[in-house]
């Protein structure tokens, strides 16, 4: 957790994440998607440049595949905790442009 998932958080935040992180439910991975929203709706994607859980190159490739407006931020995997203002900025940008596309 401290070295590869949330390396840019404080020791206290890492402690909380370590205590509360649970495995993903297998059932969550079994859903079938027939029509992904990214095929017909605009998408935004934040690449976490210092992510050690998912390769930033893979994140960028996924964003490109779906034609997303992409922002790259120097952050760990938990960018929403490490860089909340930057994440909020992307969300606000997406919200302001979503209706116009």
């Amino acid at each position: 957790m401290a070295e590869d998932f949330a390396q840019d958080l404080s020791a206290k935040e890492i402690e909380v994440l370590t205590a509360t992180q649970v495995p993903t439910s297998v059932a969550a991975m079994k859903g079938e998607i027939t029509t992904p929203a990214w095929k017909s709706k605009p998408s935004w994607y934040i690449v976490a440049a210092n992510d050690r859980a998912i390769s930033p190159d893979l994140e960028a490739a996924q964003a490109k595949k779906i034609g997303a407006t992409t922002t790259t931020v120097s952050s760990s995997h938990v960018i929403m905790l490490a860089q909340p203002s930057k994440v909020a900025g992307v969300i606000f940008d997406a919200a302001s442009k979503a209706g116009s596309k």
Side-chain angles (χ1 to χ4, degrees), residues 54-98:
I54 300 173
S55 163
D57 290 340
L58 177 58
E59 293 177 19
Q62 290 172 334
K64 183 177 179 179
K65 178 180 179 177
I66 67 173
T69 299
T70 305
T71 302
T72 300
V73 177
S74 294
S75 180
S76 65
H77 186 74
V78 289
I79 190 168
M80 70 297 262
L81 300 175
Q83 300 285 342
S85 296
K86 290 182 180 176
V87 172
V90 171
I91 292 168
F92 285 126
D93 182 56
S96 72
K97 294 176 180 169

Side-chain angles (χ1 to χ4, degrees), residues 4-70:
D4 294 320
F5 190 78
Q7 66 272 19
D8 50 359
L9 297 185
S10 70
K12 184 66 177 169
E13 290 169 310
I14 292 170
E15 183 181 325
V16 171
L17 282 176
T18 301
T20 58
Q21 182 72 24
V22 296
T24 301
S25 168
V26 173
M29 303 298 179
K30 292 184 178 181
E32 284 191 38
I33 299 169
T34 56
T35 308
W38 59 264
K39 287 191 173 186
S40 61
K41 298 178 188 250
S43 300
W44 283 259
Y45 198 109
I46 302 174
V47 173
N50 301 327
D51 197 333
R52 295 181 191 155
I54 300 173
S55 163
D57 290 340
L58 177 58
E59 293 177 19
Q62 290 172 334
K64 183 177 179 179
K65 178 180 179 177
I66 67 173
T69 299
T70 305

